């Protein structure tokens, strides 16, 4: 699995971060997310690994999930305990993170030590109220793009359990650390996940940043709010994995 590894200078903490980039399952790479990866590496004090998972439409579901699982398996095979691995992602990468978590639980494997979700895209039905409520305030994402992305990625598999994290049993999961912009079109996905996870007894932190748009931490190095969110998220992932 081709993988970009971004690490801060000096000795690394013993945990690792597996990062799944966003881009609607169609675009994006470690290059598009390099500032975010660097910010997260500094905040966690360890290496952030971003696999180049296969993209739709050439490689529809479950290709991306299979690749994310292969990256996870490679870390485990390298001797890293599951509790010392954090899995994180933004937008579609946040959805992919939850899909991976559900697959690991379904197969009876040890779960990650921590989960980070930045503006996660979790509801592929594209019916959330925020898609219209925040269309004029989201500077990053146009909702008209989403249905085609769903068709290209999920195709006939939209009912697969791994693509329905908001309908899953969210009890017994690792701590979830969620970041979303209050003015983004996918904020309802984050709101719903946080509400249901808390009701299920899963530890959750939630930064619902006022005035911010979709996946604003991708602007690390250019936006103070992005840098601050990544620091907070990285420290939370580190604390969970080193507990």
């Amino acid at each position: 699995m081709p993988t970009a590894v971004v690490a801060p200078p000096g000795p690394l903490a013993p945990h690792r971060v597996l990062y799944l980039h966003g881009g609607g399952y169609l675009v994006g790479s470690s290059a598009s997310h390099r500032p975010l990866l660097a910010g997260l590496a500094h905040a966690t004090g360890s290496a952030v690994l971003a696999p180049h998972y296969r993209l739709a439409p050439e490689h529809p579901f479950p290709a991306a999930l299979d690749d994310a699982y292969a990256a996870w398996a490679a870390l485990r095979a390298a001797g890293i305990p599951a509790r010392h691995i954090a899995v994180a992602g933004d937008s579609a990468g946040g959805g992919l993170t939850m899909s991976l978590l559900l697959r690991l639980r379904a197969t009876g494997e040890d779960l990650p030590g921590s989960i980070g979700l930045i503006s996660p895209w979790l509801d592929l039905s594209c019916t959330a109220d925020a898609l219209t409520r925040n269309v004029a305030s989201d500077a990053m994402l146009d909702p008209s793009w989403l249905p085609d992305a769903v068709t290209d990625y999920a195709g006939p598999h939209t009912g697969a359990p791994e693509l329905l994290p908001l309908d899953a049993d969210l009890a017994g999961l690792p701590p979830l650390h969620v970041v979303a912009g209050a003015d983004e079109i996918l904020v309802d996905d984050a709101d719903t996940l946080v509400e249901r996870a808390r009701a299920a007894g899963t530890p959750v932190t939630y930064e619902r940043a006022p005035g911010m748009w979709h996946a604003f931490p991708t602007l690390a190095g250019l936006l103070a709010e992005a840098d601050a969110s990544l620091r907070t998220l990285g420290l939370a992932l580190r604390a969970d994995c080193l507990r």
Side-chain angles (χ1 to χ4, degrees):
M1 174 74 57
T3 299
V5 181
V6 180
L12 299 180
H15 66 290
R16 296 292 181 266
V17 179
L18 177 62
Y19 193 87
L20 304 171
H21 69 77
Y25 301 103
L26 305 179
V27 298
S29 69
S30 60
S32 64
H33 285 63
R34 187 58 60 94
L36 184 154
L37 300 176
L40 204 54
H42 279 280
T44 60
S46 193
V48 177
L49 299 94
H52 296 174
Y53 64 84
R54 289 171 290 172
L55 300 174
E58 293 83 1
H59 304 285
F61 177 84
L65 178 54
D66 289 344
D67 289 352
Y69 180 83
W72 166 269
L75 281 172
R76 297 288 285 116
I80 309 219
R83 69 182 184 278
H84 288 170
I85 303 173
V87 183
D90 66 284
S91 194
L96 188 55
T97 296
M98 288 301 299
S99 292
L100 175 60
L101 184 58
L102 294 177
R103 175 175 284 192
L104 292 173
R105 185 173 67 178
T107 54
E109 299 189 40
D110 292 337
L111 299 182
S114 190
I115 298 292
L117 303 170
I118 298 171
S119 297
W121 185 20
L122 306 171
D123 180 5
L124 299 186
S125 72
C126 300
T127 58
D129 178 70
L131 292 173
T132 53
R133 184 180 74 244
N134 287 346
V135 66
S137 58
D138 194 327
M140 177 67 76
L141 190 57
D142 184 339
S144 66
W145 185 65
L146 299 180
D148 287 342
V150 172
T151 298
D152 288 341
Y153 173 61
H157 303 289
T158 51
E162 294 160 331
L163 295 179
L164 299 171
L166 296 181
D167 295 334
D169 178 6
L170 300 178
L173 297 182
L176 303 179
H177 303 286
V178 184
V179 178
D183 289 352
E184 69 164 287
I185 62 172
L186 294 184
V187 68
D188 287 356
D189 290 21
D191 288 348
T192 301
L193 179 72
V194 167
E195 178 183 359
R196 294 181 182 177
R198 283 176 173 163
T202 292
V204 179
T205 67
Y206 187 22
E207 179 190 0
R208 197 178 193 273
M212 290 292 105
W213 50 87
H214 179 68
F216 69 93
T218 58
L219 295 178
L222 298 174
L223 185 70
E225 291 87 346
D227 294 337
S229 290
L230 284 180
R231 280 195 299 271
T232 300
L233 177 61
L235 289 172
L237 299 179
R238 176 188 174 99
D240 289 341
C241 290
L242 297 183
R243 184 169 296 157

